[in-house]
Amino acid sequence: MALSKIDVANMLTGATPVANGGTALTSGFVNGSALGIDTWRITSNFQGNTDPVTANWERDDTYGNGVSNGMTESSGIFTFPSTGFWLVTAHFQFSGDSGDNIYVLLNINVSTNGGTGYSDAAFGYTNLDGSGEYAKTSIQKVLDVTDTSNFRVSFTTSSQDNNHYVQTDTNQNASYAIFQRLGDT
Amino acid sequence: MVQKFKPSHIEDYLVTVRKGQWFGWTDSKNKIYANLIVHDGGSKPTEKQCTDGLKSLQDAWDTANGG
């Protein structure tokens, strides 16, 4: 017997995704329009402990950043355009100075009270053994952003001797952060 | 500071002047002295200090690398 009609609603249990004819999903799926990805990078090198990294951020402007519902940045403080689950990734490129065998620390900091206070949400260490040493640190944190007016993110970097360098670039990604909206909260 | 890569831009000198994010550029795609800005209210090196500073770094790099 050939099937001319499948009664999906009665054959399945639980919520059934709803589409409106193929042009846009309406419910039950991760809605494409709600996804977002935004890359920001630092454009000028600097040395030493920096809490937070406040200056010289730019939105990635080469080869397509994929901005959709982008972040807002002010003096190194990032705010979210919408609630939801957001994956924050920080990649920082470091180089050493004259100190031997020093640690270099990168943090993702989160505020849930509008920037009144920040807590470490992710950290990563690397080790540099003097000048001419290079290392990259990458850390991530998924955030359940429930209130865009109160969630803030910033980044800090420090080292054992306060002499590490952060390497940057304005034409390619060297030290940068990616904000990716994964879905609804 | 001695690096694996020979210093090639005044930014290599600027990072040695003082710590932190004290400087930036009005146009990050065009990092020339005229576009150098100071964020921290501190002094801005002269263009000659920048070019001389870069030259010193390059000379040190050459010496360290058998130049």
Side-chain angles (χ1 to χ4, degrees), chain A residues 45-50 93-105 126-134 157-167, chain B residues 1-3 12 14-20:
Chain A
N45 299 345
F46 60 96
Q47 183 184 27
N49 300 347
T50 308
Q93 178 67 49
F94 300 112
S95 64
D97 192 33
S98 56
D100 291 334
N101 196 31
I102 62 163
Y103 69 75
V104 180
L105 174 63
T126 190
N127 222 53
L128 294 170
D129 196 15
S131 59
E133 293 287 325
Y134 299 84
T157 175
S158 58
S159 64
Q160 194 169 354
D161 66 355
N162 191 23
N163 282 326
H164 68 291
Y165 292 90
V166 177
Q167 297 185 302
Chain B
M1 179 178 62
V2 179
Q3 299 178 331
D12 295 322
L14 292 171
V15 296
T16 70
V17 172
R18 56 185 182 268
K19 294 177 180 175

Side-chain angles (χ1 to χ4, degrees), chain A residues 18-79:
Chain A
V18 177
N20 70 350
T23 56
L25 305 174
T26 57
S27 69
F29 298 90
V30 175
N31 193 326
S33 64
L35 297 176
I37 188 164
D38 197 4
T39 304
W40 287 75
R41 62 190 172 203
I42 308 166
T43 62
S44 298
N45 299 345
F46 60 96
Q47 183 184 27
N49 300 347
T50 308
D51 182 11
V53 178
T54 59
N56 303 320
W57 286 97
E58 72 167 6
R59 175 171 276 134
D60 178 356
D61 55 4
T62 52
Y63 305 108
N65 180 17
V67 173
S68 174
N69 301 319
M71 302 292 292
T72 300
E73 183 271 339
S74 177
S75 297
I77 305 300
F78 290 86
T79 55

Side-chain angles (χ1 to χ4, degrees), chain B:
Chain B
M1 179 178 62
V2 179
Q3 299 178 331
K4 285 182 179 175
F5 303 104
K6 185 173 182 176
S8 59
H9 192 276
I10 61 171
E11 188 167 322
D12 295 322
Y13 165 71
L14 292 171
V15 296
T16 70
V17 172
R18 56 185 182 268
K19 294 177 180 175
Q21 293 187 288
W22 66 270
F23 73 91
W25 309 90
T26 55
D27 179 1
S28 65
K29 301 287 191 277
N30 187 22
K31 293 182 177 180
I32 60 175
Y33 181 80
N35 291 336
L36 176 64
I37 56 175
V38 173
H39 293 312
D40 66 354
S43 62
K44 178 179 175 178
T46 65
E47 186 167 11
K48 184 176 188 306
Q49 286 174 318
C50 291
T51 54
D52 288 351
L54 174 59
K55 178 68 164 51
S56 293
L57 291 175
Q58 291 174 328
D59 290 345
W61 191 93
D62 288 339
T63 299
N65 290 274

